[in-house]
Amino acid sequence: MRSIFGRINFTQNPFNSTIFTKSLESFFIIPEVKKELAIESHIGFGQVHCSSLTIKTNHAKDKNLIFVSDSIIYNKEKLAEILQLNQREITDDEIILKSYEKWNEKCVEYLIGDFSFAIWNLEAKELFCARDHLGVKPFHYYKDENCFVFSTDIASILEQDDLNFSLDDQQVADTISIIKSEKFRTTYNEIKKLPPAHTLIIKNNKIEIKQYWELKPKKSLQKKDAEIISEFKRILIESVRCRIRENQVIGSELSGGVDSSTVTAIASSMIPIKTFSHVLPDRLIGKIHPFKDERGFINLLGDYCKITDRHFIKSEESLVKVIQNHIEESKNLIQQNFGLFSDQLYQTAMQEGTNILLSGFG
């Protein structure tokens, strides 16, 4: 996972390097991070990650590009074949850039994966940004008459202390009442989310947002049940397979329910995995209605799949404390409340050296 940040000053004024650096440093939630910068006069981009990848500047043959990305592409093999690239050596970033070189803004129609990226074309003076089909990766932005700022994290935008921000009372009210706000809303009026399956282009200081994909369910399928089941199984197995990378430690969130159990079982048939499960503290088992401890189902699946490396996380934190911690760290309110309890699970997975964590959540 990476965090990305960028700013364009429409007034052509040079950057305040102190303010710019503060936004990157807001990403330093763990000590083992790598910071990279690409600054050209009034535009600047940065990313923070734990790998040895670098920002790709001057990468394209015919364009001078600056590129930042938090992305993983699952159809990399197919795209490498279309683009006539060496699929074993090509990175996810290079696939995106090569796709952009070939198809320009239509490149997102060929990408399958979880992605959030920005490409600045120095010759055309145009910024192209995109977010994946289902919005797995975040993309936030701020725009006024003087500048455009984007980031995967709201907290980094708030570090730009020459800008003004105010709370979006409607989004706060929606969150408290468990209503899902419009997909563009954040906790702040001035900071927006790029909706899933949308691109954003900045050209001549003007912003253009387009939707490139929409899920359109069919009312009926002209297939027999056996065909539907077979095709669904094929797609599901392929979805798990393409998320497993060579020489990576694979983990899986396992609740004991149908979704996570299915994903875990498929993955364990391909590669040794670790499982990570939220369970009730021992003192609360049988005492909180309607919540039940699912260790029995988790262990049944673990035994069946011969998974020996199992980790159980017992959270003692109160909901109020968890929400307070989240607001202090991320500086915004999250509307998927189940995700608030995942920090301890993620920390355990990280301590176990997990590179990829599968999940039954959508």
Side-chain angles (χ1 to χ4, degrees), residues 3-19:
S3 295
I4 65 175
F5 175 81
R7 176 166 173 163
I8 301 171
N9 285 345
F10 298 143
T11 57
Q12 307 289 307
N13 291 332
F15 276 109
N16 182 319
S17 58
T18 302
I19 295 177

Side-chain angles (χ1 to χ4, degrees), residues 27-91:
F27 296 140
F28 293 2
I29 57 173
I30 59 174
E32 301 84 8
V33 298
K34 184 173 181 179
K35 177 178 71 175
E36 294 177 328
L37 298 173
I39 297 177
E40 296 280 343
S41 180
H42 63 287
I43 65 101
F45 298 88
Q47 62 186 22
V48 171
H49 53 80
C50 302
S51 72
S52 59
L53 298 175
T54 58
I55 293 177
K56 303 295 181 182
T57 57
N58 303 323
H59 174 86
K61 291 181 180 178
D62 302 321
K63 296 185 181 73
N64 196 7
L65 306 176
I66 298 177
F67 174 70
V68 287
S69 166
D70 178 21
S71 305
I72 181 168
I73 304 302
Y74 299 127
N75 64 332
K76 190 164 67 171
E77 293 178 5
K78 182 177 180 181
L79 285 175
E81 183 178 345
I82 294 172
L83 297 168
Q84 298 182 330
L85 304 170
N86 187 327
Q87 64 186 42
R88 286 194 170 273
E89 296 180 1
I90 199 80
T91 66

Side-chain angles (χ1 to χ4, degrees), residues 168-306:
D168 182 340
D169 293 337
Q170 184 61 57
Q171 194 269 355
V172 173
D174 291 346
T175 303
I176 294 172
S177 59
I178 323 181
I179 294 173
K180 291 292 183 285
S181 300
E182 294 90 340
K183 292 182 179 180
F184 65 85
R185 281 188 186 276
T186 74
T187 308
Y188 303 90
N189 288 306
E190 296 80 8
I191 301 175
K192 307 299 182 186
K193 284 189 291 189
L194 183 64
H198 280 67
T199 60
L200 181 154
I201 295 174
I202 294 285
K203 179 77 171 178
N204 297 324
N205 302 354
K206 295 181 180 179
I207 188 170
E208 181 182 19
I209 295 175
K210 294 181 182 178
Q211 184 173 3
Y212 65 85
W213 177 82
E214 181 181 5
L215 180 63
K216 296 180 179 180
K218 293 183 179 179
K219 293 184 178 180
S220 63
L221 293 174
Q222 302 304 315
K223 292 184 178 181
K224 296 180 180 179
D225 286 353
E227 293 177 299
I228 294 173
I229 292 170
S230 176
E231 179 66 4
F232 179 81
K233 183 177 180 180
R234 184 194 68 77
I235 293 172
L236 182 58
I237 291 173
E238 174 60 18
S239 296
V240 175
R241 186 201 67 78
C242 69
R243 283 165 170 79
I244 294 175
R245 301 292 178 97
E246 293 181 5
N247 304 317
Q248 302 289 311
V249 178
I250 309 299
S252 184
E253 293 186 73
L254 177 60
S255 69
V258 174
D259 296 337
S260 64
S261 295
T262 302
V263 171
T264 301
I266 293 171
S268 67
S269 70
M270 302 174 181
I271 193 171
I273 68 169
K274 304 170 182 275
T275 60
F276 302 90
S277 307
H278 283 295
V279 295
L280 289 173
D282 294 340
R283 63 182 179 81
L284 296 179
I285 293 178
K287 296 180 180 179
I288 301 181
H289 181 78
F291 301 106
K292 296 181 181 179
D293 189 84
E294 297 187 329
R295 271 177 277 195
F297 298 115
I298 292 166
N299 285 324
L300 276 173
L301 182 81
D303 293 343
Y304 180 79
C305 296
K306 296 182 173 57

Side-chain angles (χ1 to χ4, degrees), residues 127-189:
L127 179 70
F128 176 71
C129 310
R131 191 176 179 201
D132 62 72
H133 298 70
L134 299 179
V136 176
K137 297 290 187 178
F139 190 97
H140 305 99
Y141 67 92
Y142 168 101
K143 181 183 181 296
D144 61 22
E145 65 276 11
N146 297 315
C147 68
F148 176 80
V149 184
F150 70 87
S151 181
T152 43
D153 296 67
I154 285 179
S156 66
I157 299 179
L158 295 174
E159 291 291 344
Q160 300 291 289
D161 52 21
D162 61 329
L163 308 179
N164 296 313
F165 307 99
S166 60
L167 288 177
D168 182 340
D169 293 337
Q170 184 61 57
Q171 194 269 355
V172 173
D174 291 346
T175 303
I176 294 172
S177 59
I178 323 181
I179 294 173
K180 291 292 183 285
S181 300
E182 294 90 340
K183 292 182 179 180
F184 65 85
R185 281 188 186 276
T186 74
T187 308
Y188 303 90
N189 288 306

